[in-house]
Amino acid sequence: MISGVLERYKDFLPVNSNTPLISIGEGDTPLVKSSHLGNKIGCRSLFFKLEGCNPTGSFKDRGMVVAVAKAIEKGFDSIACASTGNTSASAAAYGAHCGLRTTLIVPKGNVARGKLAQAVAYGAHIAMVDGSFDDALEIVQELCDKHSIELVNSINPNRIEGQKTAAFEIIDDLGDAPDALFIPVGNAGNITAYWKGFKEFFDIGRSSILPVLNGYQALGAAPIVNGAPVADPKTVASAIRIGNPASWQSAVRARDESNGVIAAVSDEEILSAYRLVAEYEGIFCEPASAASIAGLLKQVEDGADYSEKIIVCVLTGNGLKDPDVANEIVPASLGEYKAELGSVEQALTKS
Ligand code: F0G
């Protein structure tokens, strides 16, 4: 039997006797020790938190399960969100699981193919708008204010509550908090959630240190780094193509309280990290997730010494969500050969 985030962490979540303990198996994701990349960059204790192993393939499920359970508790039969793809896939899955009507507002042409396929398969009502994620978020807030629909974007505090459980798991797995955490930043809910989780376990003595949080935005979508909203955010990492993050202030607090940074990595750096983690570790994450590794590589290049530190990179989503990027950037090695041993052997000696 599965025990999801609500059951496992109910003492730390807004759960009462009226909260349905729903689950489709979210949480309890692997913390995998680096096999090659860490040694290559002189960082012996590098770990990856594989959030792509959640039921819909991203970390969103941790927060969504809490937001949906609370929506049901409050009597809603309808939920809605704006999304660059993963939040919508997750909302649609939990909506389907619980028999709710799910409405998704997504920016047209800005959602990776796999994520849209999920939302369609789960039977959500999808409105593609001719605008950015930030436009979609404004519209969905108005929609939920006007109608009896629960908003399940991360401005819903129950989402942050659920997402903080990833920090709990890291502490439970390592026996303490890591020295530093690297994490992609888009709408800035997740960095906020991790910081909350790390602080809560520290406060009750489950960890002896607080980690330094290092958040990474994409260079063309880096409002927090620039200190101003970006009207037309651009990056290959569509999940974090966000110009005006909803949790901006709390992300800045997480950065400052943890003595960390929120900085930017270019698309080239993101794609290079995306390939490295696949080729050296056997881990296929989505481009936005690779921003965490790109950030670590950049810091090491700039002289940071992590040789004796315990580092966790959060890999927020599964690479299968965005197959087009992989197919576009990896040089074609898909030769076609006659279906006989001889020609296949010849092909192998060439490569
Ligand atoms: N990584 C992935 C794979 C994401 O989908 C997101 C956000 C982030 C990182 C950034 O997390 O927003 O909490 O700072 N995706 C949202 C969505 C915006 O709609 O799916 P954040």
Side-chain angles (χ1 to χ4, degrees):
M1 269 295 282
I2 51 157
S3 104
V5 156
L6 285 164
E7 175 69 44
R8 194 164 334 120
Y9 291 112
K10 56 178 178 288
D11 295 345
F12 301 93
L13 293 171
V15 169
N16 60 51
S17 54
N18 297 320
T19 316
L21 298 182
I22 54 172
S23 176
I24 48 178
E26 65 292 325
D28 203 11
T29 58
L31 185 70
V32 173
K33 187 150 197 276
S34 166
S35 57
H36 288 98
L37 205 53
N39 286 336
K40 197 170 142 68
I41 63 170
C43 177
R44 262 174 285 152
S45 298
L46 171 61
F47 294 86
F48 305 107
K49 180 70 171 160
L50 299 194
E51 289 292 277
C53 294
N54 277 297
T56 75
S58 89
F59 70 96
K60 304 289 180 177
D61 296 341
R62 295 178 181 277
M64 197 56 69
V65 73
V66 181
V68 168
K70 295 303 278 185
I72 296 169
E73 183 189 320
K74 289 185 243 173
F76 285 98
D77 59 9
S78 190
I79 57 172
C81 66
S83 180
T84 57
N86 280 329
T87 302
S88 52
S90 186
Y94 285 87
H97 185 69
C98 299
L100 306 177
R101 182 185 168 89
T102 306
T103 303
L104 310 173
I105 320 279
V106 297
K108 190 173 149 216
N110 277 298
V111 175
R113 205 150 47 92
K115 303 176 189 180
L116 209 51
Q118 290 180 287
V120 170
Y122 294 131
H125 301 264
I126 308 169
M128 297 221 197
V129 295
D130 198 4
S132 64
F133 166 82
D134 307 281
D135 299 325
L137 186 57
E138 255 181 61
I139 296 169
V140 81
Q141 283 176 265
E142 286 171 33
L143 184 81
C144 293
D145 283 347
K146 194 164 162 199
H147 302 276
S148 176
I149 305 174
E150 177 80 324
L151 181 69
V152 295
N153 277 105
S154 59
I155 36 183
N156 178 332
N158 295 315
R159 282 274 315 279
I160 305 291
E161 288 299 309
Q163 283 175 210
K164 77 185 178 191
T165 59
F168 295 167
E169 288 176 13
I170 291 174
I171 290 172
D172 283 341
D173 280 349
L174 293 175
D176 205 340
D179 295 300
L181 184 96
F182 287 76
I183 183 169
V185 174
N187 212 24
N190 211 26
I191 191 169
T192 302
Y194 269 86
W195 186 236
K196 190 166 197 291
F198 282 124
K199 279 197 304 190
E200 286 183 13
F201 261 24
F202 178 78
D203 286 346
I204 59 165
R206 294 272 285 259
S207 60
S208 69
I209 56 166
L210 283 164
V212 174
L213 299 198
N214 298 283
Y216 280 87
Q217 300 196 292
L219 198 56
I224 300 179
V225 183
N226 302 343
V230 175
D232 185 17
K234 286 194 171 59
T235 168
V236 66
S238 59
I240 53 172
R241 199 178 284 153
I242 293 175
N244 193 10
S247 299
W248 188 318
Q249 294 315 325
S250 51
V252 166
R253 271 199 304 280
R255 175 196 70 189
D256 295 345
E257 288 175 21
S258 75
N259 296 314
V261 297
I262 295 181
V265 279
S266 68
D267 278 5
E268 291 69 34
E269 289 166 326
I270 289 173
L271 291 178
S272 160
Y274 168 81
R275 290 189 62 176
L276 280 174
V277 70
E279 289 171 15
Y280 282 91
E281 303 285 347
I283 297 171
F284 187 32
C285 65
E286 62 172 290
S289 309
S292 62
I293 298 173
L296 171 64
L297 295 174
K298 200 178 173 103
Q299 284 199 18
V300 169
E301 255 171 50
D302 290 347
D305 180 7
Y306 285 121
S307 53
E308 301 303 320
K309 305 279 188 200
I310 295 172
I311 308 297
V312 173
C313 285
V314 183
L315 299 183
T316 46
N318 193 308
L320 291 172
K321 294 207 171 234
D322 197 353
D324 297 333
V325 171
N327 291 330
E328 273 160 33
I329 68 157
V330 178
S333 55
L334 304 172
E336 284 184 26
Y337 303 93
K338 265 200 207 146
E340 59 181 31
L341 184 61
S343 54
V344 171
E345 276 177 333
Q346 257 181 6
L348 293 178
T349 50
K350 268 191 231 153
S351 58

Coordinates of all heavy atoms in Angstrom, one line a residue, residues 229-283:
P229 N 10.3 42.9 -13.2 CA 9.6 41.9 -14.1 C 10.1 41.9 -15.5 O 10.6 43.0 -16.0 CB 8.2 42.4 -14.0 CG 8.1 43.3 -12.8 CD 9.4 43.9 -12.6
V230 N 10.1 40.8 -16.1 CA 10.5 40.7 -17.5 C 9.2 40.5 -18.4 O 8.4 39.6 -18.2 CB 11.4 39.4 -17.7 CG1 11.7 39.2 -19.2 CG2 12.6 39.6 -16.9
A231 N 9.0 41.5 -19.3 CA 7.7 41.5 -20.0 C 7.5 40.3 -21.0 O 6.5 39.7 -21.1 CB 7.5 42.8 -20.8
D232 N 8.7 39.9 -21.6 CA 8.6 38.9 -22.6 C 9.7 37.8 -22.3 O 10.7 37.8 -23.0 CB 8.8 39.5 -24.0 CG 8.6 38.5 -25.1 OD1 8.0 37.4 -24.8 OD2 9.0 38.8 -26.2
P233 N 9.5 37.0 -21.3 CA 10.5 36.1 -20.9 C 10.8 35.0 -22.0 O 9.9 34.6 -22.6 CB 10.0 35.4 -19.6 CG 8.5 35.6 -19.7 CD 8.3 36.9 -20.5
K234 N 12.1 34.8 -22.1 CA 12.5 33.8 -23.2 C 13.5 32.8 -22.6 O 14.5 33.3 -22.1 CB 13.2 34.6 -24.3 CG 12.2 35.3 -25.2 CD 12.8 35.8 -26.5 CE 11.9 36.3 -27.5 NZ 11.1 37.5 -27.0
T235 N 13.3 31.6 -22.8 CA 14.3 30.5 -22.5 C 13.8 29.2 -23.1 O 12.6 29.0 -23.3 CB 14.5 30.4 -21.0 OG1 15.2 29.1 -20.8 CG2 13.2 30.3 -20.2
V236 N 14.8 28.3 -23.4 CA 14.5 27.0 -23.9 C 13.8 26.2 -22.8 O 13.0 25.3 -23.0 CB 15.8 26.3 -24.3 CG1 16.7 26.0 -23.1 CG2 15.5 25.0 -25.0
A237 N 14.0 26.6 -21.5 CA 13.4 25.9 -20.4 C 12.0 26.4 -20.1 O 11.8 27.3 -19.3 CB 14.3 26.1 -19.1
S238 N 11.1 25.9 -20.9 CA 9.7 26.5 -20.9 C 9.1 26.5 -19.5 O 8.2 27.3 -19.2 CB 8.8 25.8 -21.9 OG 8.7 24.4 -21.6
A239 N 9.4 25.5 -18.6 CA 8.8 25.4 -17.3 C 9.1 26.7 -16.5 O 8.3 27.1 -15.6 CB 9.3 24.2 -16.6
I240 N 10.2 27.3 -16.7 CA 10.6 28.5 -15.9 C 10.6 29.8 -16.8 O 11.3 30.7 -16.5 CB 11.9 28.3 -15.2 CG1 13.0 27.9 -16.1 CG2 11.7 27.3 -14.0 CD1 14.4 27.9 -15.4
R241 N 9.8 29.8 -17.8 CA 9.6 30.9 -18.7 C 8.6 31.9 -18.0 O 7.5 32.0 -18.4 CB 9.2 30.5 -20.1 CG 9.4 31.5 -21.2 CD 9.0 30.8 -22.5 NE 9.9 29.9 -23.0 CZ 9.5 28.9 -23.8 NH1 8.3 28.7 -24.2 NH2 10.4 28.0 -24.3
I242 N 9.1 32.6 -17.0 CA 8.1 33.4 -16.2 C 8.8 34.7 -15.9 O 9.9 34.8 -15.5 CB 7.9 32.6 -14.8 CG1 7.1 31.3 -15.2 CG2 7.1 33.5 -13.8 CD1 6.8 30.4 -14.0
G243 N 8.0 35.8 -16.1 CA 8.5 37.1 -16.0 C 8.2 37.9 -14.7 O 8.8 38.9 -14.4
N244 N 7.2 37.3 -14.0 CA 6.8 38.1 -12.8 C 6.4 37.1 -11.7 O 5.2 36.9 -11.5 CB 5.7 39.1 -13.1 CG 5.4 40.1 -12.0 OD1 6.2 40.2 -11.0 ND2 4.3 40.8 -12.1
P245 N 7.3 36.4 -11.0 CA 7.0 35.3 -10.1 C 6.1 35.7 -9.0 O 6.3 36.8 -8.3 CB 8.4 34.9 -9.6 CG 9.4 35.6 -10.3 CD 8.8 36.7 -11.1
A246 N 5.1 34.8 -8.7 CA 4.1 35.1 -7.7 C 4.8 35.1 -6.3 O 4.4 35.9 -5.4 CB 3.0 34.1 -7.7
S247 N 5.8 34.2 -6.1 CA 6.4 34.1 -4.7 C 7.7 34.9 -4.7 O 8.7 34.5 -4.0 CB 6.6 32.7 -4.3 OG 5.3 32.0 -4.3
W248 N 7.8 36.0 -5.4 CA 9.1 36.8 -5.5 C 9.6 37.1 -4.1 O 10.8 36.8 -3.8 CB 8.7 38.0 -6.3 CG 9.9 38.9 -6.7 CD1 10.9 39.3 -5.9 CD2 10.0 39.5 -8.0 NE1 11.7 40.1 -6.7 CE2 11.2 40.3 -7.9 CE3 9.3 39.6 -9.1 CZ2 11.7 41.1 -9.0 CZ3 9.7 40.3 -10.2 CH2 10.9 41.1 -10.1
Q249 N 8.8 37.7 -3.3 CA 9.3 38.2 -2.0 C 9.8 37.1 -1.1 O 10.8 37.2 -0.4 CB 8.3 39.1 -1.3 CG 7.9 40.4 -2.0 CD 9.1 41.1 -2.5 OE1 10.2 41.1 -1.9 NE2 9.0 41.7 -3.7
S250 N 9.0 36.0 -1.1 CA 9.4 34.9 -0.2 C 10.7 34.2 -0.7 O 11.5 33.6 0.1 CB 8.3 33.9 0.0 OG 7.8 33.5 -1.2
A251 N 10.9 34.2 -2.0 CA 12.1 33.6 -2.6 C 13.3 34.5 -2.2 O 14.4 33.9 -1.8 CB 12.0 33.5 -4.1
V252 N 13.1 35.8 -2.2 CA 14.2 36.7 -1.8 C 14.5 36.5 -0.3 O 15.7 36.4 0.1 CB 13.8 38.1 -2.1 CG1 14.8 39.1 -1.4 CG2 13.9 38.4 -3.6
R253 N 13.5 36.3 0.5 CA 13.7 36.0 1.9 C 14.5 34.7 2.1 O 15.4 34.6 2.9 CB 12.4 35.9 2.7 CG 11.9 37.3 3.2 CD 10.9 37.2 4.3 NE 9.7 36.4 3.9 CZ 8.7 36.8 3.2 NH1 8.7 38.1 2.8 NH2 7.7 36.1 2.9
A254 N 14.1 33.7 1.4 CA 14.8 32.4 1.5 C 16.3 32.5 1.1 O 17.2 32.0 1.8 CB 14.1 31.3 0.5
R255 N 16.5 33.3 0.0 CA 17.9 33.5 -0.4 C 18.7 34.2 0.7 O 19.8 33.8 1.1 CB 17.9 34.4 -1.7 CG 19.2 34.8 -2.2 CD 19.1 36.0 -3.1 NE 18.7 37.2 -2.5 CZ 18.3 38.3 -3.1 NH1 18.3 38.4 -4.4 NH2 17.9 39.4 -2.4
D256 N 18.1 35.3 1.2 CA 18.8 36.1 2.2 C 19.0 35.4 3.5 O 20.1 35.4 4.1 CB 18.1 37.5 2.4 CG 18.2 38.3 1.1 OD1 19.0 37.9 0.2 OD2 17.4 39.2 0.9
E257 N 17.9 34.8 4.0 CA 18.0 34.1 5.3 C 19.0 32.9 5.3 O 19.6 32.6 6.3 CB 16.6 33.6 5.8 CG 15.7 34.7 6.2 CD 14.3 34.2 6.5 OE1 14.1 33.0 6.8 OE2 13.4 35.1 6.5
S258 N 19.2 32.3 4.1 CA 20.1 31.2 4.0 C 21.5 31.6 3.5 O 22.3 30.7 3.3 CB 19.5 30.1 3.0 OG 19.6 30.6 1.7
N259 N 21.7 32.9 3.3 CA 23.0 33.4 2.8 C 23.3 32.8 1.4 O 24.4 32.5 1.1 CB 24.1 33.0 3.8 CG 24.0 33.7 5.1 OD1 23.7 34.9 5.1 ND2 24.1 33.0 6.2
G260 N 22.2 32.6 0.6 CA 22.4 32.0 -0.7 C 22.4 33.1 -1.8 O 22.6 34.3 -1.5
V261 N 22.2 32.6 -3.0 CA 22.1 33.5 -4.1 C 20.9 33.1 -5.0 O 20.4 31.9 -5.0 CB 23.3 33.4 -5.1 CG1 24.6 33.9 -4.3 CG2 23.5 32.0 -5.6
I262 N 20.3 34.0 -5.7 CA 19.5 33.7 -6.9 C 20.2 34.4 -8.1 O 20.4 35.6 -8.1 CB 18.0 34.2 -6.7 CG1 17.4 33.5 -5.5 CG2 17.2 34.0 -8.0 CD1 15.9 33.8 -5.2
A263 N 20.6 33.5 -9.0 CA 21.4 34.0 -10.1 C 20.9 33.4 -11.4 O 19.9 32.7 -11.4 CB 22.9 33.6 -9.9
A264 N 21.5 33.8 -12.5 CA 21.0 33.3 -13.8 C 22.0 32.4 -14.5 O 23.2 32.6 -14.4 CB 20.6 34.5 -14.7
V265 N 21.4 31.5 -15.3 CA 22.2 30.7 -16.2 C 21.7 30.8 -17.6 O 20.4 30.9 -17.8 CB 22.3 29.2 -15.8 CG1 23.3 29.0 -14.6 CG2 20.9 28.7 -15.3
S266 N 22.6 30.7 -18.6 CA 22.1 30.9 -20.0 C 21.5 29.6 -20.5 O 21.7 28.5 -19.9 CB 23.3 31.3 -20.8 OG 24.2 30.2 -20.9
D267 N 20.8 29.7 -21.6 CA 20.2 28.5 -22.2 C 21.3 27.5 -22.6 O 21.2 26.3 -22.4 CB 19.4 28.9 -23.5 CG 18.0 29.3 -23.1 OD1 17.7 29.5 -21.9 OD2 17.2 29.6 -24.0
E268 N 22.5 28.0 -23.0 CA 23.6 27.1 -23.4 C 24.1 26.4 -22.1 O 24.3 25.2 -22.2 CB 24.8 27.9 -23.9 CG 24.6 28.6 -25.3 CD 23.5 29.7 -25.3 OE1 23.5 30.4 -24.3 OE2 22.8 29.9 -26.2
E269 N 24.2 27.1 -21.0 CA 24.6 26.4 -19.8 C 23.6 25.4 -19.3 O 23.9 24.3 -18.8 CB 24.8 27.5 -18.7 CG 26.1 28.3 -19.0 CD 26.2 29.6 -18.1 OE1 25.2 30.2 -17.8 OE2 27.3 29.9 -17.8
I270 N 22.3 25.7 -19.5 CA 21.2 24.8 -19.1 C 21.3 23.5 -19.9 O 21.2 22.4 -19.4 CB 19.8 25.5 -19.2 CG1 19.6 26.6 -18.1 CG2 18.7 24.5 -19.2 CD1 18.4 27.4 -18.3
L271 N 21.4 23.7 -21.2 CA 21.4 22.6 -22.1 C 22.7 21.7 -22.0 O 22.6 20.5 -22.1 CB 21.2 23.0 -23.6 CG 19.9 23.6 -23.9 CD1 19.8 24.1 -25.4 CD2 18.7 22.6 -23.6
S272 N 23.8 22.4 -21.6 CA 25.0 21.6 -21.4 C 24.8 20.7 -20.2 O 25.2 19.5 -20.2 CB 26.2 22.6 -21.3 OG 27.2 22.0 -20.7
A273 N 24.3 21.3 -19.1 CA 24.1 20.6 -17.9 C 23.0 19.4 -18.1 O 23.2 18.3 -17.6 CB 23.6 21.5 -16.8
Y274 N 22.1 19.7 -18.9 CA 21.0 18.8 -19.2 C 21.6 17.5 -19.9 O 21.2 16.4 -19.6 CB 20.0 19.5 -20.2 CG 19.0 18.8 -20.9 CD1 17.8 18.4 -20.3 CD2 19.1 18.5 -22.3 CE1 16.8 17.8 -21.1 CE2 18.1 17.9 -23.1 CZ 17.0 17.6 -22.4 OH 16.0 17.0 -23.2
R275 N 22.6 17.8 -20.8 CA 23.2 16.6 -21.5 C 24.2 15.9 -20.5 O 24.3 14.7 -20.5 CB 24.0 17.1 -22.7 CG 23.1 17.6 -23.8 CD 23.8 17.8 -25.1 NE 24.5 16.6 -25.6 CZ 25.1 16.6 -26.7 NH1 25.2 17.7 -27.5 NH2 25.7 15.5 -27.1
L276 N 24.9 16.7 -19.7 CA 25.9 16.1 -18.8 C 25.2 15.1 -17.8 O 25.7 14.0 -17.6 CB 26.6 17.2 -18.0 CG 27.8 17.9 -18.7 CD1 28.3 19.0 -17.8 CD2 28.9 16.9 -19.0
V277 N 24.1 15.5 -17.3 CA 23.5 14.7 -16.2 C 22.9 13.4 -16.9 O 22.8 12.4 -16.3 CB 22.5 15.5 -15.4 CG1 21.2 15.9 -16.2 CG2 22.1 14.7 -14.1
A278 N 22.5 13.6 -18.1 CA 21.9 12.4 -18.8 C 23.1 11.4 -19.2 O 23.1 10.2 -18.9 CB 21.2 12.8 -20.1
E279 N 24.2 12.0 -19.7 CA 25.3 11.2 -20.3 C 26.2 10.6 -19.2 O 26.7 9.5 -19.3 CB 26.1 12.0 -21.3 CG 25.3 12.2 -22.6 CD 26.0 13.2 -23.5 OE1 27.2 13.4 -23.3 OE2 25.4 13.7 -24.4
Y280 N 26.4 11.4 -18.1 CA 27.3 10.9 -17.0 C 26.6 10.2 -15.9 O 27.2 9.6 -15.0 CB 28.1 12.1 -16.5 CG 29.2 12.5 -17.3 CD1 29.1 13.5 -18.3 CD2 30.5 11.9 -17.2 CE1 30.1 13.9 -19.1 CE2 31.5 12.3 -18.0 CZ 31.3 13.3 -19.0 OH 32.4 13.6 -19.8
E281 N 25.2 10.5 -15.7 CA 24.6 9.9 -14.6 C 23.4 9.0 -14.9 O 22.9 8.3 -14.0 CB 24.0 11.1 -13.7 CG 25.0 12.1 -13.2 CD 25.9 11.6 -12.1 OE1 25.6 10.6 -11.5 OE2 26.9 12.2 -11.8
G282 N 23.0 9.0 -16.2 CA 21.8 8.2 -16.5 C 20.5 8.8 -16.0 O 19.6 8.1 -15.7
I283 N 20.5 10.1 -15.8 CA 19.3 10.8 -15.3 C 18.8 11.8 -16.4 O 19.6 12.7 -16.8 CB 19.6 11.6 -14.0 CG1 20.1 10.6 -12.9 CG2 18.4 12.4 -13.6 CD1 20.6 11.2 -11.6

